[in-house]
């Protein structure tokens, strides 16, 4: 007679299950969604606000979920597409209905899109939308950039959804040799009076003099804000400026524009970002087949700061090229996760700086500035309020 089967193992207690689920990787949200479908106890654990807070704290920086990108002005607006960088489906694009849209920034769980005229601040996770009025009339821009950022006091920006936000709009004036900046506050619903950076700033004046030295084409090379993604470090927002790759700094606390010089490199394709837990400004470019990065501590009142070379990465054997003349271009950063984006004739690639791992994230295209969307994507209980309902992507 066969021995009786062994008794089933005792059920895992919720605390142990939570510790296991806590370690599912956030850069593949599908794992948590599937785990939530296993049984109601698991669903209750995953949808509990306490678990959600622990999950964010455990993993730190939000994962990269998708990306948009900007083109140079003469290349026109990119197609209305918001590709996912995970196994989850692509996000719906606000311009999919045929409206003209120009993506400007992705930051703190939000996407900023110029709807021409007006702006849209959109949360792809919650679907929340805020329509903003056009920028002030004084901002007669020739070329511009903008950044969206969370304005909640004490927020760690690990999982920003809802709450107040600000939009910093910076532009070169259409007729004057000045750079202007204005800030929209969701709390007041208004744009601030523009502040100006002109030839009273010695660095800016020097760039204008150098542009004038180019003769009749000097106006074309007047320093202007580039349509690249900016960087937020501390209480300041930074934008790159054409002609010498200078960097315009807008100080939110002081409502003031200034300019700083970049590292001494002579290249066209660059990217800036926040580095080292948002205490330093980072700068990256490609020279030859090598990726160079620099770091600069944020300015203090006590002493000036300098650029320090941070890292050099050889790309010749890591990024595929279509032909020997194929040019590599650095087109963006994803802060907090150590990812940099490089474009080649073969496609768009992301490189993890710590491990050197390379992954193709999109097909070849005209990439001038990549806008990475980073946020935690966790299951939510359905609108009915019961744990037997859950909002899931259609292909999970």
């Amino acid at each position: 007679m066969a021995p009786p089967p062994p008794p089933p193992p005792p059920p895992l207690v919720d605390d142990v299950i939570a510790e296991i689920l806590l370690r599912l990787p956030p850069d593949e949200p599908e794992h948590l969604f599937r785990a939530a479908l296993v049984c109601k106890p698991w669903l209750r654990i995953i949808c509990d606000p306490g678990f959600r807070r622990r999950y964010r704290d455990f993993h730190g920086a939000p994962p990269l979920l998708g990306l948009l990108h900007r083109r140079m002005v003469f290349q026109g607006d990119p197609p209305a597409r918001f590709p996912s960088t995970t196994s989850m489906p692509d996000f719906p694009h606000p311009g999919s209905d045929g409206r003209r849209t120009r993506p400007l920034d992705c930051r703190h769980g939000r996407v900023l899109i110029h709807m021409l005229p007006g702006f849209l601040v959109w949360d792809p996770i919650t679907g929340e939308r805020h329509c903003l009025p056009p920028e002030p009339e004084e901002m007669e821009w020739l070329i511009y950039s903008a950044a969206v950022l969370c304005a909640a006091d004490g927020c760690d920006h690990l999982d920003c959804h809802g709450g107040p936000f600000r939009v910093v709009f910076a532009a070169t004036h259409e007729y004057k040799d000045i750079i202007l900046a204005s800030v929209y506050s969701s709390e007041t619903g208004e744009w601030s009076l523009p502040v100006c950076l002109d030839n009273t700033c010695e660095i800016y004046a020097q760039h204008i003099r150098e542009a004038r030295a180019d003769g009749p084409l000097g106006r074309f090379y007047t320093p202007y804000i580039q349509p690249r993604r900016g960087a937020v470090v501390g209480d300041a927002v930074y934008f790159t400026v054409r002609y010498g790759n200078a960097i315009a700094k807008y100080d939110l606390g002081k409502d003031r524009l200034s300019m700083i010089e970049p590292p001494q490199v002579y290249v066209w394709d660059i990217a800036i970002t926040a580095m080292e837990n948002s205490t330093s400004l980072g700068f990256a470019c490609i020279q030859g087949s090598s990726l160079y990065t620099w770091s600069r501590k944020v300015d203090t009142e006590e002493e000036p700061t300098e650029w320090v070379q941070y890292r050099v990465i050889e790309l010749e054997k890591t990024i595929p090229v279509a032909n020997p003349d194929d040019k590599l271009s650095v087109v963006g950063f994803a802060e907090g996760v150590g990812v940099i984006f490089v474009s080649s004739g073969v496609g768009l690639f992301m490189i993890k700086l710590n491990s050197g791992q390379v992954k193709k994230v999109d097909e070849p295209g005209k990439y001038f500035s990549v806008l990475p969307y980073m946020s935690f994507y966790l299951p939510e209980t359905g609108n009915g309020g019961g744990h037997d309902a859950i909002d899931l992507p259609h292909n999970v």
Side-chain angles (χ1 to χ4, degrees), residues 275-296:
M275 298 180 70
E276 299 174 12
N277 297 321
S278 294
T279 61
S280 297
L281 179 65
F283 181 101
C285 70
I286 293 176
Q287 293 181 296
S289 60
S290 298
L291 170 68
Y292 293 83
T293 60
W294 287 263
S295 176
R296 183 181 190 272

Side-chain angles (χ1 to χ4, degrees), residues 269 286 288-289 315-316 319-321 326-330 342-344:
D269 298 310
I286 293 176
S289 60
L315 301 177
E316 186 174 11
I319 302 293
V321 295
D326 192 7
K327 181 184 176 183
L328 300 178
S329 300
V330 55
V342 173
S343 175
S344 79

Side-chain angles (χ1 to χ4, degrees), residues 5-24:
L12 293 174
V13 297
D14 285 355
D15 288 348
V16 176
I17 296 174
E19 287 297 323
I20 295 172
L21 297 176
L22 198 64
R23 286 158 174 78
L24 292 177

Side-chain angles (χ1 to χ4, degrees), residues 8 23 36-37 86 103 119 131 140 161 174 199 234 288 294-295 363 369:
R23 286 158 174 78
L37 292 173
T86 73
F119 298 85
C131 294
E140 296 182 72
H161 296 288
E174 186 172 9
N199 57 14
W294 287 263
S295 176
E363 298 304 315
S369 181

Side-chain angles (χ1 to χ4, degrees), residues 133-150:
E135 66 283 356
E137 292 183 359
E138 299 91 333
M139 303 282 289
E140 296 182 72
W141 49 266
L142 171 68
I143 193 166
Y144 67 96
S145 187
V148 61
L149 57 151
C150 172

Side-chain angles (χ1 to χ4, degrees), residues 205-226:
Q206 176 63 29
H207 282 275
I208 292 177
R209 289 193 293 269
E210 292 173 357
R212 292 294 180 267
D214 285 342
L217 294 179
R219 179 67 183 97
F220 179 76
Y221 289 107
T222 293
Y224 57 75
I225 293 290
Q226 291 185 309

